[in-house]
């Protein structure tokens, strides 16, 4: 009798699990159908490319870097990032690839499109100087904040960061004009380093630079 009850319990559990799994698969299929039905034909390919596994994307990036003759400089740059801020190799590579346009190159749908993407050569010395500048004066960014900045905004925190800072503070609103105020705000919000335009003060006015504009940044905070 005991064995019969135990068998019945196992059977009930198995049945319940199977039904739940089936509903889960149905839900996933429906969700995928909803997503693809809402994606326009123009963006469908881009959406599909976003599903490429990161490992496969990295392989494409490495192949492109190697073919361009930058393999040694690439490895040296990745090593510099990992040792400086403690990011693992894969994340360091992906951040570097995004900063130097190799990620965009690898995700391009065809060789024709890749011709129009201006990838950059990794230069170890420039990268090292850039990272050292970020933790020195005037910003004196803590290593953990620099790490987060690289992960979130690699194009700004790995390449020409001093140029970005000088542009950002030169057109910043009055409340961020001083080094101290800018530094304090940067510690609270790492995105401000990419605010290199201000349509309120620029002669051109709004020139389509909303993604890097202080006014847009201020409006988002409201």
């Amino acid at each position: 009798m005991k064995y019969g009850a135990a068998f019945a319990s196992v059977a009930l559990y198995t049945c319940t699990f199977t039904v739940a799994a089936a509903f889960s698969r149905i839900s996933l299929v429906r969700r995928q159908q909803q997503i693809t039905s809402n994606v326009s034909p123009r963006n469908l390919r881009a959406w599909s490319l976003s599903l490429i596994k990161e490992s496969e994307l990295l392989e494409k990036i490495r192949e492109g870097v190697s073919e361009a003759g930058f393999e040694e400089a690439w490895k040296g740059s990745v090593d510099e990032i990992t040792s400086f801020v403690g990011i693992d190799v894969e994340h360091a590579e992906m951040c570097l690839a995004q900063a130097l346009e190799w990620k965009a190159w690898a995700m391009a749908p065809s060789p024709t499109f890749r011709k129009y993407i201006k990838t950059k050569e990794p230069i170890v010395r420039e990268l090292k100087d850039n990272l050292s500048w970020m933790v020195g004066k005037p910003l004196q960014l803590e290593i953990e904040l620099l790490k987060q900045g690289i992960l979130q905004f690699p194009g700004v925190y790995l390449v020409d960061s001093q140029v970005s800072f000088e542009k950002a503070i030169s057109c910043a609103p009055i409340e961020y004009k001083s080094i101290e105020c800018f530094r304090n705000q940067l510690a609270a919000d790492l995105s401000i380093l990419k605010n290199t335009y201000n349509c309120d003060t620029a002669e051109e006015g709004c020139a389509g630079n909303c993604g890097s504009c202080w006014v847009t940044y201020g409006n988002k905070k409201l």
Side-chain angles (χ1 to χ4, degrees), residues 63-75:
E63 288 175 9
V65 168
S66 180
E67 289 174 3
F70 301 150
E71 190 171 2
E72 185 176 347
W74 181 267
K75 185 179 183 302

Side-chain angles (χ1 to χ4, degrees), residues 77-146:
S77 298
V78 171
D79 289 344
E80 191 65 42
I81 296 170
T82 57
S83 62
F84 204 99
V85 295
I87 299 175
D88 63 80
V89 172
E90 286 74 18
H91 280 95
E93 280 194 273
M94 195 59 75
C95 289
L96 185 63
Q98 187 171 336
L100 301 182
E101 300 297 338
W102 284 100
K103 182 178 179 180
W105 177 90
M107 293 184 70
S110 71
T112 302
F113 278 89
R114 287 175 181 169
K115 292 179 181 179
Y116 297 99
I117 299 174
K118 296 181 179 179
T119 54
K120 301 173 184 176
E121 177 183 357
I123 302 175
V124 181
R125 171 50 60 183
E126 289 185 3
L127 175 64
K128 186 174 183 177
D129 290 346
N130 193 84
L131 295 173
S132 297
W133 183 86
M134 291 295 295
V135 298
K137 291 183 178 181
L139 290 182
Q140 298 176 309
L141 205 62
E142 295 180 2
I143 292 295
E144 182 57 32
L145 286 175
L146 177 57

Side-chain angles (χ1 to χ4, degrees), residues 12-26:
L12 178 61
Y13 174 81
T14 304
C15 181
T16 303
F17 180 82
T18 303
V19 171
F23 274 108
S24 178
R25 286 194 295 271
I26 292 171

Side-chain angles (χ1 to χ4, degrees), residues 2-210:
K2 290 182 179 179
Y3 290 113
F7 179 79
S9 297
V10 171
L12 178 61
Y13 174 81
T14 304
C15 181
T16 303
F17 180 82
T18 303
V19 171
F23 274 108
S24 178
R25 286 194 295 271
I26 292 171
S27 177
L28 178 60
V29 170
R30 286 178 178 172
R31 177 60 182 153
Q32 290 173 334
Q33 290 173 342
Q34 289 173 354
I35 292 173
T36 53
S37 65
N38 291 329
V39 177
S40 66
R42 178 182 296 179
N43 295 328
L44 184 57
R45 185 173 181 82
W47 178 82
S48 299
L49 286 171
S50 69
L51 300 180
I52 296 176
K53 292 181 180 179
E54 189 170 286
S55 59
E56 295 176 357
L57 188 58
L58 273 175
E59 283 303 314
K60 285 189 176 183
I61 291 168
R62 290 165 183 159
E63 288 175 9
V65 168
S66 180
E67 289 174 3
F70 301 150
E71 190 171 2
E72 185 176 347
W74 181 267
K75 185 179 183 302
S77 298
V78 171
D79 289 344
E80 191 65 42
I81 296 170
T82 57
S83 62
F84 204 99
V85 295
I87 299 175
D88 63 80
V89 172
E90 286 74 18
H91 280 95
E93 280 194 273
M94 195 59 75
C95 289
L96 185 63
Q98 187 171 336
L100 301 182
E101 300 297 338
W102 284 100
K103 182 178 179 180
W105 177 90
M107 293 184 70
S110 71
T112 302
F113 278 89
R114 287 175 181 169
K115 292 179 181 179
Y116 297 99
I117 299 174
K118 296 181 179 179
T119 54
K120 301 173 184 176
E121 177 183 357
I123 302 175
V124 181
R125 171 50 60 183
E126 289 185 3
L127 175 64
K128 186 174 183 177
D129 290 346
N130 193 84
L131 295 173
S132 297
W133 183 86
M134 291 295 295
V135 298
K137 291 183 178 181
L139 290 182
Q140 298 176 309
L141 205 62
E142 295 180 2
I143 292 295
E144 182 57 32
L145 286 175
L146 177 57
K147 176 181 178 179
Q148 293 305 316
I150 291 171
L151 289 170
Q152 295 176 44
F153 312 104
V156 181
Y157 283 82
L158 289 177
V159 180
D160 293 332
S161 299
Q162 184 175 355
V163 174
S164 295
F165 163 71
E166 290 172 352
K167 288 182 178 179
I169 198 168
S170 68
C171 65
I174 188 66
E175 60 265 34
Y176 305 130
K177 273 291 186 183
S178 72
I179 294 293
E180 183 179 0
C181 291
F182 188 96
R183 186 167 56 231
N184 290 339
Q185 185 61 21
L186 183 65
D189 186 349
L190 293 164
S191 73
I192 70 166
L193 196 59
K194 65 185 183 69
N195 294 342
T196 56
Y197 192 79
N198 190 329
C199 63
D200 270 353
T201 58
E203 292 182 3
E204 302 87 350
C206 182
N209 295 314
C210 300

